[in-house]
Amino acid sequence: MEKGQPGKVGRLSGAILKAAREKGARAFLTEGPGHATELSRNAPEGARVVAVGGDGTVHEVLRGLAGTDKVLGVVPIGSGNDFARMLGLRELPWREALELALFAQEEAIDLCWVNGEPFGASLGIGFDALVAKKALSAPPFLRGMPRYLYALFGVLKELRLPEGRVAVDGEEVHWGPLLLLAVMNGPAYGGGIPIAPMADPRDGQLSVILARSFTRPGVVFILPRLLLGRHLSHPQVVAFAGREVVVEFAHPVPAHADGELLPEARLYRARVEPLGLKVVGGRAAARGEKPILSPVGVG
């Protein structure tokens, strides 16, 4: 949890810190960007590191523990919570989520990488990365889906499609105008938008959704279908699956990983590491998992 955060995180931080410490965890309020990464990186091997917040907090923690033997737990009290949604944790009350994160049995999901950066649920290149950038300037009272829609319509006013070449597992699947490319480990991004309903974080595959050439009215008209998960039947939307995705542009194009903006680049190379991340997810809750003692830490 980050110190001084407004909204739900700020209101609950004291109670969650107290509850975590009462259960024997070391608990911290992060000081600012990058601190959660530092804390998780410094946690001992085999420790359980619990991210309390939204997708931004999860992504920072993931940066610190990807490629290690540490276990990621999540208490989802942020605005988007798409990583928690992927794990079946989105609707849990924070006390139940904390108990699960600290004590339930671990499992494994796929870990994804892009240009050396780990991500847990989603990679978006093009239009939706511009939307993520625009969302940073949205009014603070807008959260989740309303924040996404505010940003989306702001970006539409200056819509220009780059031309890109996309290859999945070495096979070229697209060359030309590209509205967006979503490379997904989980089914949703943007606070619950079901961009890849078929995505499974345990199948060793990246789910790739490619939206080709769209006009401004075309984006507006497909939006209701997107929100209902019915966009995949549109002739300008195609889906693929594979273990590696490479997309190349003539000029740098924005991208985001788990909603966090990446340095703009001409080339993005994404890959999946099957079952490469230890987590505490919703399967434990569904099984009625009994608490087990484990080394833990909370960030």
PDB file of all heavy atoms in Angstrom, residues 100-113:
ATOM      1  N   LEU A 100      -6.487 -15.364   2.858  1.00  0.00           N
ATOM      2  CA  LEU A 100      -6.109 -16.267   1.775  1.00  0.00           C
ATOM      3  C   LEU A 100      -4.680 -15.991   1.316  1.00  0.00           C
ATOM      4  O   LEU A 100      -3.869 -16.907   1.152  1.00  0.00           O
ATOM      5  CB  LEU A 100      -7.084 -16.088   0.611  1.00  0.00           C
ATOM      6  CG  LEU A 100      -6.988 -17.072  -0.554  1.00  0.00           C
ATOM      7  CD1 LEU A 100      -7.449 -18.441  -0.115  1.00  0.00           C
ATOM      8  CD2 LEU A 100      -7.831 -16.576  -1.718  1.00  0.00           C
ATOM      9  N   ALA A 101      -4.363 -14.707   1.128  1.00  0.00           N
ATOM     10  CA  ALA A 101      -3.043 -14.329   0.623  1.00  0.00           C
ATOM     11  C   ALA A 101      -1.926 -14.749   1.573  1.00  0.00           C
ATOM     12  O   ALA A 101      -0.840 -15.135   1.145  1.00  0.00           O
ATOM     13  CB  ALA A 101      -2.992 -12.822   0.388  1.00  0.00           C
ATOM     14  N   LEU A 102      -2.202 -14.680   2.872  1.00  0.00           N
ATOM     15  CA  LEU A 102      -1.170 -14.986   3.855  1.00  0.00           C
ATOM     16  C   LEU A 102      -1.009 -16.477   4.110  1.00  0.00           C
ATOM     17  O   LEU A 102       0.106 -16.950   4.348  1.00  0.00           O
ATOM     18  CB  LEU A 102      -1.487 -14.285   5.183  1.00  0.00           C
ATOM     19  CG  LEU A 102      -1.379 -12.756   5.203  1.00  0.00           C
ATOM     20  CD1 LEU A 102      -1.818 -12.221   6.547  1.00  0.00           C
ATOM     21  CD2 LEU A 102       0.036 -12.307   4.883  1.00  0.00           C
ATOM     22  N   PHE A 103      -2.093 -17.242   4.070  1.00  0.00           N
ATOM     23  CA  PHE A 103      -2.036 -18.584   4.607  1.00  0.00           C
ATOM     24  C   PHE A 103      -2.448 -19.721   3.672  1.00  0.00           C
ATOM     25  O   PHE A 103      -2.152 -20.873   3.959  1.00  0.00           O
ATOM     26  CB  PHE A 103      -2.909 -18.662   5.865  1.00  0.00           C
ATOM     27  CG  PHE A 103      -2.461 -17.742   6.956  1.00  0.00           C
ATOM     28  CD1 PHE A 103      -3.312 -16.761   7.443  1.00  0.00           C
ATOM     29  CD2 PHE A 103      -1.193 -17.849   7.492  1.00  0.00           C
ATOM     30  CE1 PHE A 103      -2.909 -15.911   8.466  1.00  0.00           C
ATOM     31  CE2 PHE A 103      -0.772 -17.002   8.500  1.00  0.00           C
ATOM     32  CZ  PHE A 103      -1.627 -16.034   8.994  1.00  0.00           C
ATOM     33  N   ALA A 104      -3.164 -19.446   2.585  1.00  0.00           N
ATOM     34  CA  ALA A 104      -3.655 -20.547   1.754  1.00  0.00           C
ATOM     35  C   ALA A 104      -2.546 -21.142   0.895  1.00  0.00           C
ATOM     36  O   ALA A 104      -1.491 -20.533   0.696  1.00  0.00           O
ATOM     37  CB  ALA A 104      -4.805 -20.066   0.872  1.00  0.00           C
ATOM     38  N   GLN A 105      -2.798 -22.319   0.382  1.00  0.00           N
ATOM     39  CA  GLN A 105      -1.813 -23.034  -0.429  1.00  0.00           C
ATOM     40  C   GLN A 105      -1.535 -22.283  -1.730  1.00  0.00           C
ATOM     41  O   GLN A 105      -2.445 -21.736  -2.351  1.00  0.00           O
ATOM     42  CB  GLN A 105      -2.334 -24.438  -0.753  1.00  0.00           C
ATOM     43  CG  GLN A 105      -1.340 -25.323  -1.474  1.00  0.00           C
ATOM     44  CD  GLN A 105      -0.135 -25.640  -0.600  1.00  0.00           C
ATOM     45  OE1 GLN A 105      -0.297 -26.050   0.545  1.00  0.00           O
ATOM     46  NE2 GLN A 105       1.051 -25.436  -1.132  1.00  0.00           N
ATOM     47  N   GLU A 106      -0.291 -22.284  -2.152  1.00  0.00           N
ATOM     48  CA  GLU A 106       0.088 -21.625  -3.397  1.00  0.00           C
ATOM     49  C   GLU A 106      -0.248 -22.493  -4.595  1.00  0.00           C
ATOM     50  O   GLU A 106      -0.485 -23.695  -4.486  1.00  0.00           O
ATOM     51  CB  GLU A 106       1.583 -21.321  -3.384  1.00  0.00           C
ATOM     52  CG  GLU A 106       2.443 -22.577  -3.432  1.00  0.00           C
ATOM     53  CD  GLU A 106       3.887 -22.311  -3.106  1.00  0.00           C
ATOM     54  OE1 GLU A 106       4.149 -21.629  -2.101  1.00  0.00           O
ATOM     55  OE2 GLU A 106       4.753 -22.804  -3.849  1.00  0.00           O
ATOM     56  N   GLU A 107      -0.253 -21.878  -5.774  1.00  0.00           N
ATOM     57  CA  GLU A 107      -0.404 -22.567  -7.045  1.00  0.00           C
ATOM     58  C   GLU A 107       0.470 -21.845  -8.059  1.00  0.00           C
ATOM     59  O   GLU A 107       1.151 -20.876  -7.706  1.00  0.00           O
ATOM     60  CB  GLU A 107      -1.872 -22.577  -7.491  1.00  0.00           C
ATOM     61  CG  GLU A 107      -2.482 -21.188  -7.598  1.00  0.00           C
ATOM     62  CD  GLU A 107      -3.979 -21.233  -7.882  1.00  0.00           C
ATOM     63  OE1 GLU A 107      -4.320 -21.387  -9.068  1.00  0.00           O
ATOM     64  OE2 GLU A 107      -4.767 -21.132  -6.933  1.00  0.00           O
ATOM     65  N   ALA A 108       0.467 -22.266  -9.302  1.00  0.00           N
ATOM     66  CA  ALA A 108       1.303 -21.635 -10.316  1.00  0.00           C
ATOM     67  C   ALA A 108       0.459 -21.175 -11.492  1.00  0.00           C
ATOM     68  O   ALA A 108      -0.500 -21.841 -11.891  1.00  0.00           O
ATOM     69  CB  ALA A 108       2.380 -22.602 -10.789  1.00  0.00           C
ATOM     70  N   ILE A 109       0.815 -20.020 -12.042  1.00  0.00           N
ATOM     71  CA  ILE A 109       0.212 -19.516 -13.275  1.00  0.00           C
ATOM     72  C   ILE A 109       1.333 -19.122 -14.221  1.00  0.00           C
ATOM     73  O   ILE A 109       2.506 -19.052 -13.850  1.00  0.00           O
ATOM     74  CB  ILE A 109      -0.730 -18.317 -13.027  1.00  0.00           C
ATOM     75  CG1 ILE A 109       0.059 -17.107 -12.486  1.00  0.00           C
ATOM     76  CG2 ILE A 109      -1.870 -18.689 -12.108  1.00  0.00           C
ATOM     77  CD1 ILE A 109      -0.738 -15.817 -12.491  1.00  0.00           C
ATOM     78  N   ASP A 110       0.965 -18.847 -15.464  1.00  0.00           N
ATOM     79  CA  ASP A 110       1.946 -18.413 -16.443  1.00  0.00           C
ATOM     80  C   ASP A 110       2.449 -17.006 -16.109  1.00  0.00           C
ATOM     81  O   ASP A 110       1.682 -16.151 -15.641  1.00  0.00           O
ATOM     82  CB  ASP A 110       1.324 -18.401 -17.838  1.00  0.00           C
ATOM     83  CG  ASP A 110       0.841 -19.770 -18.281  1.00  0.00           C
ATOM     84  OD1 ASP A 110       1.354 -20.764 -17.737  1.00  0.00           O
ATOM     85  OD2 ASP A 110      -0.046 -19.828 -19.146  1.00  0.00           O
ATOM     86  N   LEU A 111       3.721 -16.784 -16.382  1.00  0.00           N
ATOM     87  CA  LEU A 111       4.340 -15.471 -16.230  1.00  0.00           C
ATOM     88  C   LEU A 111       4.673 -14.951 -17.619  1.00  0.00           C
ATOM     89  O   LEU A 111       5.194 -15.705 -18.455  1.00  0.00           O
ATOM     90  CB  LEU A 111       5.609 -15.579 -15.386  1.00  0.00           C
ATOM     91  CG  LEU A 111       6.451 -14.309 -15.219  1.00  0.00           C
ATOM     92  CD1 LEU A 111       5.665 -13.216 -14.504  1.00  0.00           C
ATOM     93  CD2 LEU A 111       7.746 -14.623 -14.478  1.00  0.00           C
ATOM     94  N   CYS A 112       4.385 -13.695 -17.875  1.00  0.00           N
ATOM     95  CA  CYS A 112       4.603 -13.121 -19.203  1.00  0.00           C
ATOM     96  C   CYS A 112       5.676 -12.033 -19.146  1.00  0.00           C
ATOM     97  O   CYS A 112       5.860 -11.380 -18.119  1.00  0.00           O
ATOM     98  CB  CYS A 112       3.303 -12.541 -19.747  1.00  0.00           C
ATOM     99  SG  CYS A 112       1.941 -13.725 -19.765  1.00  0.00           S
ATOM    100  N   TRP A 113       6.348 -11.850 -20.280  1.00  0.00           N
ATOM    101  CA  TRP A 113       7.421 -10.867 -20.391  1.00  0.00           C
ATOM    102  C   TRP A 113       7.269 -10.085 -21.690  1.00  0.00           C
ATOM    103  O   TRP A 113       6.833 -10.637 -22.711  1.00  0.00           O
ATOM    104  CB  TRP A 113       8.786 -11.558 -20.398  1.00  0.00           C
ATOM    105  CG  TRP A 113       9.108 -12.337 -19.164  1.00  0.00           C
ATOM    106  CD1 TRP A 113       8.732 -13.620 -18.861  1.00  0.00           C
ATOM    107  CD2 TRP A 113       9.885 -11.880 -18.051  1.00  0.00           C
ATOM    108  NE1 TRP A 113       9.217 -14.000 -17.642  1.00  0.00           N
ATOM    109  CE2 TRP A 113       9.939 -12.959 -17.119  1.00  0.00           C
ATOM    110  CE3 TRP A 113      10.557 -10.694 -17.756  1.00  0.00           C
ATOM    111  CZ2 TRP A 113      10.626 -12.863 -15.911  1.00  0.00           C
ATOM    112  CZ3 TRP A 113      11.235 -10.596 -16.556  1.00  0.00           C
ATOM    113  CH2 TRP A 113      11.269 -11.668 -15.641  1.00  0.00           C
TER     114      TRP A 113
END
